[in-house]
Amino acid sequence: MTLLAPLIKWYHASKRDLPWRETTDPYRIWLSEVIMQQTRVEQGLPYYNKFVDKYPTLHALANANDDDVMKLWQGLGYYSRASNMLKTARIIEAEHEGVFPDTYNRLLELKGIGPYTAAAISSFAFNEAQAVVDGNVYRVLSRLFAIDEPINSSKGKKLFAEVAREVLNEKVPATHNQAIMELGATVCKPKQALCNVCVLRLQCEAYKQNRVYDFPVKDKKRKPVDRFLNYIFIKDARNNTYIRQRVDEGIWNMLYEFPVIETQAATDENELLEHAHLKERFSHQPQQLRLLFASKHQLTHQTIYAVFWLAEGQNIVPLKPEGFIKINLNLIHNYAVPRLLERFINHILPQQ
């Protein structure tokens, strides 16, 4: 396909210097893809470097401590990526003798690797002719051909996969995929697109029609749900507190948290002291709650309003079935927590 021929020359001259582009090691390519999903390069690059330094091989990651991996991941968000990455690494180690499958179809057989990641690994590591379609590719193709099918619809995903295959340069699939992704990241940007320097502008239908920002088309997202979380922070005379690890497969699975009570709306200390869950969760009910910190946290489909309360009283201990452990507060930084809790911890322990 010669339509995108100028792209290859542009890429060689203009590409960013990124470490995962200098290797064909499937482990490091896979690691970069997992980290960079839903993450900007500027944010993800330091995490990639930290992971490579600590876990330079698949074997090292597969044998890592879960809590250590989650702590290293802390701050990136979308924590299920980290837990799924660990599971997949262990599957490859146990069932494939630590060797990555080398084709798209065999990679797809691995639990935890979907079509996008399988295409990226097979293309970048093994130069298999598979089209990689990420958010940047959706944007470039939708503008190039003025495709008005929503990219987040089943029909749209199928259509864009077909278009990506049609334009794929099968002689140099790895370079082609990197090039179109790079164009989307650095030139064909969501806002402030640099059309005047784009090597594909003369072929671009959206540019010809002066409709660049009409694409890509998306079905309307559902409105984020408001959630109100009240964290109960306990600190005893010996500077101990209580935390537990979440094991509910939610967005913060495997991360640690303080006792928490969710309410239907914002509440004050008097209402919270009378809340049924508060009375059920402690061996001795707090006598007072003192506001320490409040924060708003925006997720894709949730807006979280979090309030952190200091529980005051004697012998306030969470009930054992809740799974809490007692730790010294000075060790709290050793545990992986959601960004929301990290803000609070940095607020109360600014010197650490």
Side-chain angles (χ1 to χ4, degrees):
M1 186 77 178
T2 58
L3 177 65
L4 304 188
L7 197 57
I8 304 299
K9 183 177 180 181
W10 169 84
Y11 176 71
H12 286 305
S14 307
K15 66 178 179 178
R16 291 170 294 177
D17 183 18
L18 300 173
W20 50 84
R21 289 179 175 165
E22 309 304 321
T23 182
T24 56
D25 179 353
Y27 164 67
R28 296 196 176 193
I29 290 168
W30 170 62
L31 181 63
S32 72
E33 291 300 328
V34 175
I35 289 175
M36 297 312 303
Q37 289 172 23
Q38 307 290 335
T39 304
R40 301 187 314 275
V41 167
E42 296 77 12
Q43 182 188 11
L45 181 56
Y47 283 88
Y48 173 84
N49 290 331
K50 286 191 294 185
F51 266 87
V52 167
D53 286 343
K54 189 163 186 177
Y55 308 114
T57 65
L58 179 80
H59 177 77
L61 180 62
N63 289 279
N65 176 274
D66 288 29
D67 286 347
D68 290 344
V69 171
M70 298 306 290
K71 182 63 180 175
L72 202 60
W73 191 273
Q74 184 173 301
L76 261 180
Y78 297 93
Y79 291 92
S80 61
R81 290 182 293 171
S83 57
N84 289 337
M85 181 174 68
L86 263 176
K87 292 176 185 176
T88 303
R90 289 165 180 164
I91 289 171
I92 298 172
E93 181 78 359
E95 300 179 10
H96 299 267
E97 299 181 343
V99 178
F100 261 90
D102 58 2
T103 67
Y104 174 81
N105 288 331
R106 290 185 61 216
L107 284 162
L108 272 183
E109 294 174 359
L110 288 171
K111 185 177 181 180
I113 292 185
Y116 166 77
T117 306
I121 297 171
S122 67
S123 169
F124 303 149
F126 307 112
N127 209 36
E128 185 176 12
Q130 293 290 337
V132 179
V133 185
D134 71 347
N136 290 312
V137 176
Y138 276 123
R139 189 164 55 257
V140 171
L141 294 181
S142 67
R143 290 172 174 174
L144 191 62
F145 299 108
I147 300 173
D148 57 11
E149 191 67 42
I151 63 172
N152 55 345
S153 67
S154 298
K155 184 178 179 181
K157 290 176 181 178
K158 182 178 179 180
L159 173 61
F160 278 94
E162 292 173 355
V163 173
R165 284 194 295 268
E166 285 293 321
V167 301
L168 177 66
N169 187 330
E170 296 189 358
K171 293 181 179 179
V172 285
T175 304
H176 168 94
N177 284 324
Q178 291 280 17
I180 194 168
M181 292 166 72
E182 184 75 348
L183 189 77
T186 63
V187 176
C188 192
K189 298 186 288 188
K191 299 177 182 178
Q192 298 179 331
L194 306 178
C195 297
N196 59 318
V197 298
C198 180
V199 295
L200 300 181
R201 66 184 180 279
L202 298 181
Q203 296 128 287
C204 179
E205 288 300 319
Y207 178 73
K208 293 176 186 177
Q209 300 172 23
N210 196 28
R211 297 179 57 211
V212 169
Y213 298 112
D214 290 345
F215 303 97
V217 175
K218 291 184 180 180
D219 282 335
K220 291 183 179 179
K221 296 180 180 179
R222 66 177 186 266
K223 185 179 178 180
V225 175
D226 290 342
R227 296 183 65 190
F228 301 87
L229 302 183
N230 297 273
Y231 289 96
I232 311 301
F233 175 62
I234 302 167
K235 181 181 177 184
D236 67 18
R238 296 187 177 183
N239 204 36
N240 294 318
T241 191
Y242 291 86
I243 59 173
R244 71 167 178 177
Q245 189 175 37
R246 294 174 62 103
V247 290
D248 58 3
E249 301 296 329
I251 56 171
W252 292 329
N253 183 48
M254 295 179 66
L255 302 186
Y256 288 83
E257 66 179 2
F258 301 116
V260 61
I261 294 171
E262 184 167 359
T263 54
Q264 295 297 313
T267 187
D268 61 26
E269 60 270 30
N270 294 322
E271 291 176 343
L272 195 56
L273 281 169
E274 294 301 319
H275 198 284
H277 287 175
L278 186 74
K279 296 180 179 180
E280 294 170 356
R281 292 183 177 180
F282 298 95
S283 57
H284 288 77
Q285 186 181 353
Q287 297 171 2
Q288 287 185 307
L289 294 172
R290 180 157 57 90
L291 176 64
L292 293 180
F293 187 74
S295 179
K296 177 182 176 182
H297 191 64
Q298 188 65 57
L299 300 173
T300 305
H301 301 302
Q302 302 178 29
T303 302
I304 295 177
Y305 297 90
V307 179
F308 293 81
W309 305 91
L310 175 65
E312 298 181 328
Q314 297 295 319
N315 301 318
I316 305 170
V317 179
L319 296 175
K320 289 183 180 180
E322 295 278 348
F324 285 91
I325 59 173
K326 181 168 70 172
I327 66 164
N328 190 275
L329 192 55
N330 292 325
L331 300 178
I332 190 71
H333 291 287
N334 295 336
Y335 295 85
V337 299
R339 175 63 67 86
L340 182 62
L341 269 71
E342 185 183 17
R343 292 195 202 113
F344 167 70
I345 292 167
N346 289 337
H347 174 74
I348 61 171
L349 300 172
Q351 75 281 6
Q352 299 189 30

